[in-house]
Amino acid sequence: MMANGGIAGSMSEAPAGAVWTKTCVALKRELGEATFGSWLGQAALRERGADLCLVAATGVARDWIRRHAWRRIGELWAQNDPMGRSLDLKSRMEFDAQAQGAYAETQALASPSIAAVDTDVIEIEVPIAAPSLEARAARQQGLQERFSFETFVAGPANEFAFAVARRVASWADGHFNPVIFHGPYGFGKTHLLNALAWEAMQTGPGKRVVYITAERFTTTFVKAVQDRQTAAFKDELRNADLLLIDDVQFVAGKTSTQEELFHTLLALVEDGRRVVMTADRSPAELSEMEPRLRSHLQSGLVCGIEPADRTLRLGILERKLATLAAQGRFVPSAKAEVLQFLADRFTDSVRELEGALNTLIARVGGDIARLTLDEAQTILRPHLACNERRVTVDQIQKVVAEHYQLKQADMISERRARAVARPRQVAMWIAKQITTRSLPDIGRRFGGRDHTTVLHAVRRIESLKAEDPVIARDVDVLLRKLRG
C-alpha cells in the first residue's frame, strides 16, 4: 500500500488510488488540515477483489466520518470515479476481522437493533485473539500473553516506539543498540516490551530471548552472589540473543547491581546481541544512576512514549471493551457518551482508563450497552472522589487564562470576542467536569452569568472536542495541569 495525501491507497498508480487522492485534496480544503488529519488522516483505502472500502482507524473515527463527512465523500468519489464504483466504510478492526473470516461469527452475537448504525451507541468489534505460543519458559520469565502487538493500540503518542519495537522483533538489520522506551507509569511500556518478546520468539524460533524486570535482575543477582553462583547468572543473560529489561530505573542507586548491568550491557552490545529496556524517565533524567551506565543507555535509541491523546484513549477503550465482551460473551457495545466520558476523565494512565472500564463491566456486565452517562458517573464516583485533587473555579480560571495568554479578569468580563469567549467556554466546561459546583454557581463565578450560558458553553465544548483537534488538545493539557 502506498500513501496518498496522508491516506493509503492500494497502489499509487491504481485508478482507485488516484480517485481517492483527488477526493482527499478536496476534503482537506473543505474540512481543514487539522480536522482532516484527526479523523481521516489515519484511514486507509483498501481493495479486496472488486470491492473498495475506506477503513477508519477506530470505530469512533468511523462513526464520526459517517455522521460528518460520508455524504460529501460519496459526492466527491462519484465526481472523480469514471467507473462509478461503490465505496464502503468500516473500522480497521471490523475490516481485519472480516478478512480472517471471523466477522460473521461476531455479528451473530449482536441483535439487529444494536448491529445497526446508531449515533448514540458505539458497537465495538471483537478482536481476533493473538495465537498462543504455548511458551512455558517465556511465561516463567514473567511474560503475559495478553500483551501482544495485536492488542496494542497504536497512535500518534506511541507510533514511533511501536514501529521500533516491531522492527527489533523482526530481527531486522540496521538496529540501534540498546533501545530504551521511556514514559511515566501506565503508558504501555510493559505491554510493548512483552509484545516485542512474543513476536521475537515467533519470528526467530532459534533465537534466545530473555525477559526480566530490573527488580528481578537485582534480587537474582544478589542471591547469585550469596550462593556463589555469579558465573551461572552471567551466562544466563549474556548468552541471550535479545535481552529485555523492564523498569531499569529500579537499579538506580544500587552500586553492585549497576556494575553488573553495565558489564552485561557492554558484553551483549559488543557481541552484536540486542538489548531493549524500559524506564519511567529518559536516561538523561536518571540522576541516581551511575554516569557510565547512564551514558551507555543514552548511546542507543531513546524512544519517548507520550500521554495518549483523546483519539488513542477511545481506541484503547474500544479494544478493551471488545476483549472483555469476548470473554463474557456479550455484545461489545456502549453509548458514545460513556466512552467519551472515560476518555476525557482518565487522561493520565492507560491502566486507570482500563480500570475504570473494568469497574463498569464488573457492575453491569452485558448491560454495558444500556448504561447511561449518569449511571456510569454514579458507579465511578467513589473512585473519582478518592483520586481527584480538589480544584476551585478560581484555579481553573487562572490556569485557562494563562494557557491562552489572557488575564483572569477576561474570564469574568463582558468581552465577547472569540479570542476571549472560547477560552471562557473551555473554563466553564472544565469547571463542570472537575468541580462539584452547580451550573448556576459556576455562572455566578464567571461574572454573574445565567446557568443557561454555562450549559451552552458545556455543550459547545463537548461538540468542538469531537470536531476540532486543537480544542481537544487544549482541554487535555489543561486537565493535566489542574489535576497535577
Side-chain angles (χ1 to χ4, degrees):
M1 302 282 181
M2 299 291 292
N4 288 305
I7 297 181
S10 61
M11 293 175 59
S12 61
E13 69 278 12
V19 173
W20 182 238
T21 298
K22 293 179 181 178
T23 302
C24 287
V25 170
L27 287 172
K28 281 184 181 180
R29 184 172 58 250
E30 296 174 10
L31 296 174
E33 290 279 353
T35 300
F36 178 91
S38 180
W39 297 106
L40 283 154
Q42 296 183 51
L45 183 67
R46 306 289 190 193
E47 290 187 62
R48 184 181 293 152
D51 297 328
L52 293 171
C53 184
L54 179 61
V55 181
T58 67
V60 173
R62 174 202 60 198
D63 292 341
W64 186 93
I65 293 169
R66 194 180 297 279
R67 289 196 298 271
H68 300 284
W70 190 236
R71 179 179 298 177
R72 183 55 178 156
I73 288 173
E75 293 172 351
L76 292 168
W77 181 267
Q79 291 172 15
N80 294 313
D81 184 18
M83 299 174 65
R85 291 167 293 186
S86 62
L87 182 65
D88 197 5
L89 174 65
K90 296 183 185 297
S91 71
R92 183 179 301 163
M93 199 182 300
E94 180 181 9
F95 185 85
D96 291 344
Q98 193 176 46
Q100 297 180 49
Y103 184 67
E105 295 178 13
T106 302
Q107 288 293 84
L109 295 173
S111 65
S113 61
I114 293 183
V117 175
D118 190 326
T119 58
D120 296 322
V121 176
I122 294 179
E123 182 180 353
I124 312 299
E125 300 84 7
V126 179
I128 305 303
S132 171
L133 301 178
E134 296 297 324
R136 180 179 301 175
R139 286 195 294 272
Q140 288 175 347
Q141 292 183 52
L143 289 173
Q144 301 181 59
E145 287 183 85
R146 65 191 178 95
F147 289 153
S148 66
F149 283 134
E150 287 73 19
T151 59
F152 189 88
V153 181
N158 58 28
E159 60 187 355
F160 178 61
F162 181 71
V164 170
R166 297 218 71 151
R167 181 168 178 79
V168 173
S170 71
W171 301 97
D173 293 331
H175 62 281
F176 294 91
N177 211 8
V179 174
I180 311 296
F181 299 118
H182 71 87
Y185 169 85
F187 278 30
K189 302 184 301 297
T190 296
H191 188 149
L192 199 60
L193 205 63
N194 273 251
L196 196 165
W198 290 115
E199 185 85 357
M201 286 187 290
Q202 191 173 44
T203 56
K207 304 285 189 178
R208 188 161 185 272
V209 178
V210 176
Y211 168 90
I212 189 171
T213 65
E215 181 179 11
R216 188 177 175 196
F217 180 98
T218 301
T219 56
T220 306
F221 173 66
V222 170
K223 189 174 188 306
V225 171
Q226 293 172 342
D227 296 343
R228 302 178 184 276
Q229 296 291 326
T230 54
F233 174 81
K234 293 176 180 180
D235 288 343
E236 175 72 16
L237 299 183
R238 298 182 192 184
N239 286 329
D241 294 294
L242 172 61
L243 175 62
L244 307 163
I245 301 180
D246 204 4
D247 288 327
V248 72
Q249 76 278 353
F250 185 84
V251 305
K254 300 174 175 66
T255 304
S256 59
T257 303
Q258 289 184 88
E259 181 76 11
E260 180 59 31
L261 179 59
F262 169 77
H263 289 295
T264 297
L265 174 61
L266 203 61
L268 288 169
V269 171
E270 288 181 350
D271 201 27
R273 298 167 190 263
R274 308 182 182 200
V275 181
V276 182
M277 303 182 186
T278 69
D280 63 354
R281 287 154 286 162
S282 69
E285 296 176 293
L286 297 174
S287 56
E288 294 183 7
M289 187 168 281
E290 200 267 330
R292 184 174 55 168
L293 175 57
R294 187 169 67 244
S295 175
H296 271 73
L297 295 181
Q298 291 176 276
S299 68
L301 178 61
V302 180
C303 301
I305 300 178
E306 301 297 325
D309 62 16
R310 189 172 190 261
T311 301
L312 180 55
R313 292 196 298 272
L314 286 168
I316 290 168
L317 287 170
E318 289 186 23
R319 177 77 70 170
K320 182 68 174 178
L321 178 56
T323 301
L324 293 171
Q327 295 170 351
R329 298 198 63 78
F330 59 83
V331 178
S333 61
K335 291 184 182 296
E337 62 183 10
V338 172
L339 295 184
Q340 289 164 1
F341 161 70
L342 295 177
D344 288 334
R345 173 56 187 82
F346 298 93
T347 60
D348 297 328
S349 166
V350 171
R351 288 195 182 99
E352 290 182 6
L353 180 66
E354 292 183 335
L357 183 60
N358 286 339
T359 300
L360 295 181
I361 297 294
R363 286 288 296 273
V364 302
D367 288 332
I368 185 71
R370 292 190 287 272
L371 188 71
T372 67
L373 176 59
D374 287 343
E375 291 168 341
Q377 290 174 328
T378 299
I379 291 171
L380 294 173
R381 185 167 293 135
H383 179 73
L384 296 174
C386 68
N387 286 284
E388 190 70 84
R389 182 167 73 92
R390 188 169 182 83
V391 179
T392 66
V393 174
D394 182 68
Q395 289 172 317
I396 292 170
Q397 291 174 348
K398 287 179 181 177
V399 171
V400 173
E402 180 182 344
H403 179 81
Y404 288 102
Q405 298 182 334
L406 300 172
K407 298 176 181 178
Q408 186 178 354
D410 292 325
M411 297 287 102
I412 60 176
S413 73
E414 293 298 321
R415 294 179 61 190
R416 296 185 179 183
R418 174 169 291 189
V420 175
R422 187 70 79 226
R424 185 188 296 130
Q425 289 177 326
V426 169
M428 289 179 177
W429 182 89
I430 293 175
K432 176 64 172 64
Q433 300 301 313
I434 67 174
T435 74
T436 58
R437 300 293 182 183
S438 65
L439 292 178
D441 201 6
I442 293 173
R444 283 193 292 272
R445 284 166 168 74
F446 279 85
R449 286 173 165 79
D450 187 81
H451 77 280
T452 57
T453 301
V454 181
L455 182 59
H456 170 74
V458 170
R459 289 175 175 171
R460 183 60 181 147
I461 297 303
E462 277 293 339
S463 175
L464 286 173
K465 282 198 298 100
E467 301 171 3
D468 187 339
V470 175
I471 289 291
R473 186 166 56 249
D474 284 348
V475 168
D476 258 6
V477 170
L478 289 165
L479 286 174
R480 290 182 202 283
K481 285 182 180 178
L482 287 162
R483 287 172 174 154

